DNA sequence: ATGGATTTCTTGTGATCACAAAGCCGCGCA
DNA sequence: TGCGCGGCTTTGTGATCACAAGAAATCCAT
């Protein structure tokens, strides 16, 4: 069989599949318990089973997917204990990240955060759960990128990934009326250079968002 | 991510390769910068390239291996900033784990920890770096298992994994004279039920062990 | 019509192969 | 002697295939 001429020079096939699935999971576009098949993934991304399997294996290793004993793959349905753990991890890591970002947070960053916060409000008003989750993550990531701590950010994103399907389930059935108000606390603490206030605001935002996840 | 405690009766090929490489890396048996080949790994474990590639991809995703732009795979040589980040992560996560383990730490656990600590001293006296690293990790894991927090423990192990080759380089050229004395502080705090003391002891043990890693 | 057995289909697993790109070695030329 | 340069080799990538195990559908007997 001839190699199909792909115009993409840099991204390998498994990487495209991995990124595609990853963002879908992190943004909460796949609900918990949904089953996936390697051949289906391969057909969707136009590749064979081999890259699909590698991408799935990687996501399983990161806790974003669950591999049943028979090898079947699906999105995990988290227990309340697991959710509490992941929320605690978010609090630990993201508080540290925000604290490290504070000294480098200049006005341009704060402006961008306020802009993103406005987009969150738009998504809330439009009752768009996926848009809400995606923009909310963008808010946090924009702040944490300033921490210049890639290993910590990767850890935080791994936690987000594990919570993705569960957040899909939650925000699907809940109707927010406004953007999370702790984001305003975060921005205010950044403006004031108030580190204890920032830590408290980030911790509150993370735990408040996940307290309602535990049924 | 190795969450299930029971060994699978029929471990698949990629899982055997993954576990084999993982323990070798975590125990510091591979020094940083060492190159690996898929065919070599496959031959070593008696499998073809496919499971070897899946295992390598998984370890790359966990930060235990580095994939160069040309696809070559090797153990990473960490920068000082990265080491500092990982040390901070260890401090954050392991302090929390020890704190959660404290209420469940009974006498049998403390006895086991003291036994393991004795084995660490033996490894130090025998100038056995790999044995020292392995037993040291066993000390921490034994304590953290009591926290009943598998997601957090998995995160901690991922950090250990990333530090494995670097610890190999360090402990190879350093000659310890005694077991880490903060382990005695940890055991004392466990006996006394002293949570602040335990948090301080764990944090000290982690950061002290990694301060000398930054060249 | 219903429950159990059997067949069929689906799905994951791992080996193998063709191919491309990167490394490596040695030959030849200045 | 130093430096390209062309070929050979090594190595990763992804498609394809045979196989086994599980799930689903079908069929037969009561």
């Amino acid at each position: 069989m001839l190699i199909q001429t792909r115009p993409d020079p840099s991204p390998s096939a498994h990487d495209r599949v991995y990124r595609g699935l990853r963002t879908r999971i992190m943004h909460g576009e796949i609900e918990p318990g949904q089953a996936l098949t390697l051949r289906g993934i391969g057909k969707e991304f136009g590749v064979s089973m081999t890259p699909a399997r590698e991408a799935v294996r990687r996501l399983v290793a990161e806790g974003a997917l669950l591999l049943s004993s028979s090898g079947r793959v699906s999105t995990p349905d988290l227990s309340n204990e697991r959710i509490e753990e992941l929320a605690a991890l978010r609090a630990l890591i993201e508080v540290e990240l925000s604290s490290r970002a504070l000294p480098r947070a200049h006005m341009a960053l704060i402006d961008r955060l306020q802009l993103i916060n406005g987009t969150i409000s738009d998504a809330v008003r439009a009752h768009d759960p996926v848009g809400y989750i995606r923009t909310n993550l963008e808010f946090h990531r924009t702040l944490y990128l300033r921490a210049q701590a890639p290993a910590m950010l990767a850890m935080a994103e791994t936690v987000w990934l594990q919570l993705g399907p569960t957040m899909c389930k939650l925000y699907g059935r809940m109707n927010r009326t406004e953007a999370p108000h702790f984001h305003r606390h975060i921005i205010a603490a950044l403006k004031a250079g108030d580190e204890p206030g920032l830590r408290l605001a980030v911790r509150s935002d993370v735990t408040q968002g996940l307290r309602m996840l535990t049924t």
Side-chain angles (χ1 to χ4, degrees), chain A residues 62-136:
Chain A
E62 292 174 319
L65 291 176
L66 186 70
L67 204 68
S68 85
S69 59
S70 68
R72 250 65 169 199
V73 59
S74 62
T75 54
D77 200 348
L78 304 179
S79 67
N80 282 352
E81 295 79 22
R82 178 59 63 111
I83 292 174
E84 188 275 333
E85 257 190 87
L86 293 172
L89 277 170
R90 276 199 67 179
L92 282 175
I93 299 173
E94 296 191 26
V95 165
E96 177 72 16
L97 277 169
S98 69
S99 172
R100 290 178 179 228
L102 178 58
R104 311 174 198 258
H106 301 319
M107 213 51 209
L109 176 71
I110 296 175
D111 287 343
R112 269 182 68 199
L113 289 177
Q114 274 172 326
L115 195 69
I116 296 172
N117 215 20
T119 310
I120 295 178
S121 301
D122 296 344
V124 166
R125 269 191 291 274
H127 299 292
D128 174 14
V130 171
Y132 170 76
I133 294 175
R134 182 180 55 239
T135 322
N136 189 24

Side-chain angles (χ1 to χ4, degrees), chain A residues 13 61 85 109 174 181 215:
Chain A
E85 257 190 87
L109 176 71
M174 125 183 158
H181 56 285
T215 57

Side-chain angles (χ1 to χ4, degrees), chain A residues 136-201:
Chain A
N136 189 24
L137 291 183
E138 190 187 346
F139 180 91
H140 286 267
R141 185 176 5 231
T142 300
L143 174 58
Y144 303 152
L145 267 176
R146 275 298 193 287
Q148 302 279 38
M152 280 190 190
L153 183 57
M155 284 280 169
E157 292 198 319
T158 298
V159 180
W160 296 346
L161 198 60
Q162 296 184 48
L163 286 169
T166 304
M167 290 174 71
C168 162
K169 188 170 72 176
L170 171 77
Y171 291 106
R173 68 165 182 251
M174 125 183 158
N175 267 343
R176 267 200 170 281
T177 60
E178 51 180 335
H181 56 285
F182 285 117
H183 281 196
R184 302 209 162 272
H185 294 201
I186 291 173
I187 291 173
L190 283 173
K191 276 182 180 166
D194 172 19
E195 200 212 344
L198 179 63
R199 297 177 81 97
L200 178 63

